[in-house]
Amino acid sequence: MDYQSDFEKWKERIEARPLAEVKLPNQPIDEVTASAETLAIEAIKDKDEFTKAGMDITIIEDIPSLSGAVRYCQAEWMSEYLARQDAQKEWLEKSPFAYQQHDELLHNFKFAYRNDPDILTKVMRINNGNGHVDMVQDLIELAVLGEKNPKPLREIGYKTTGLKDIKTLSHNMAELLASSNGSTNDSSKVKLLRDKAFTLLSERVSIIREYGRYLFWKDNSRREKYYNNYKG
């Protein structure tokens, strides 16, 4: 069974986990899942002892598929996280050009429409703001304004055919900015699923370890198999 199938098997139970009960991983997920899978291999050898002690053996049997679900959620979260990192890098590379075009538009528009109070007022209104979102919006609004009032721009030698490119630039930068901002760690639904899946796995691992230490308290070699090698 692949990790996505594992996730589909656990999806409803993962999503249903109350937010108040969610635990955050304090070790790398690959270490956590590998440890859980190794624990399950050891515990299944002692399934008769666990059953006699009153533990539901399905807790052990759950581990492989639940661990796979955790791995799947982690991969999805890392894909989202890395995509945002790439977008942020691309924004840093491309935004200086967008800001340059923004400033040149304003410079040309203020001069071209200097004798038209109504249009100049619109230009100044568009320029009333700051920040990335405002810059992206200014580009599209200025381009539309210029297309509707091309004559003064042409009179000062401004090539209005380039306004189409400005509209495309605004659209592209808006998409890039959205990807760059993305979901923060605290708001990402994908990360929350990962944390919920980890919580389910962590709980089962803790139960197995607890029973194992109880059962093999006089058998040092077996008892060691049930001690935590991470804080889960």
Side-chain angles (χ1 to χ4, degrees), residues 26-180:
N26 55 5
Q27 288 283 348
I29 288 296
D30 57 344
E31 294 181 11
V32 172
T33 50
S35 175
E37 290 157 1
T38 299
L39 176 66
I41 291 173
E42 290 297 328
I44 205 66
K45 299 175 184 178
D46 302 317
K47 62 179 180 179
D48 292 339
E49 286 82 353
F50 280 108
T51 300
K52 291 177 183 177
M55 194 188 85
D56 183 355
I57 203 68
T58 60
I59 291 176
I60 300 173
E61 296 170 345
D62 281 346
I63 296 296
S65 61
L66 181 52
S67 178
V70 174
R71 289 179 183 271
Y72 176 81
C73 291
Q74 173 69 6
E76 290 291 297
W77 160 233
M78 288 309 299
S79 177
E80 178 184 283
Y81 175 79
L82 293 174
R84 188 172 77 244
Q85 293 292 99
D86 289 342
Q88 289 172 347
K89 180 179 178 181
E90 189 175 356
W91 172 266
L92 290 175
E93 293 172 351
K94 294 183 176 180
S95 59
F97 175 75
Y99 272 104
Q100 179 186 14
Q101 294 300 302
H102 174 267
D103 292 344
E104 289 185 3
L105 277 175
L106 285 172
H107 175 72
N108 285 299
F109 277 41
K110 288 177 182 178
F111 184 74
Y113 300 120
R114 66 191 184 282
N115 295 321
D116 190 324
D118 289 340
I119 298 179
L120 184 61
T121 297
K122 293 178 181 179
V123 172
M124 301 308 294
R125 179 190 59 77
I126 293 172
N127 188 39
N128 186 24
N130 55 66
H132 299 330
V133 174
D134 185 75
M135 179 272 289
V136 171
Q137 184 63 27
D138 285 358
L139 288 175
I140 186 66
E141 290 187 14
L142 288 169
V144 171
L145 182 64
E147 287 179 337
K148 291 181 177 180
N149 304 276
K151 185 178 179 181
L153 291 171
R154 290 172 182 157
E155 288 175 350
I156 67 168
Y158 184 87
K159 296 182 179 179
T160 56
T161 54
L163 293 175
K164 182 178 179 181
D165 294 333
I166 295 297
K167 292 166 72 174
T168 299
L169 176 64
S170 176
H171 175 76
N172 292 342
M173 294 305 293
E175 289 189 338
L176 186 57
L177 183 59
S179 297
S180 177

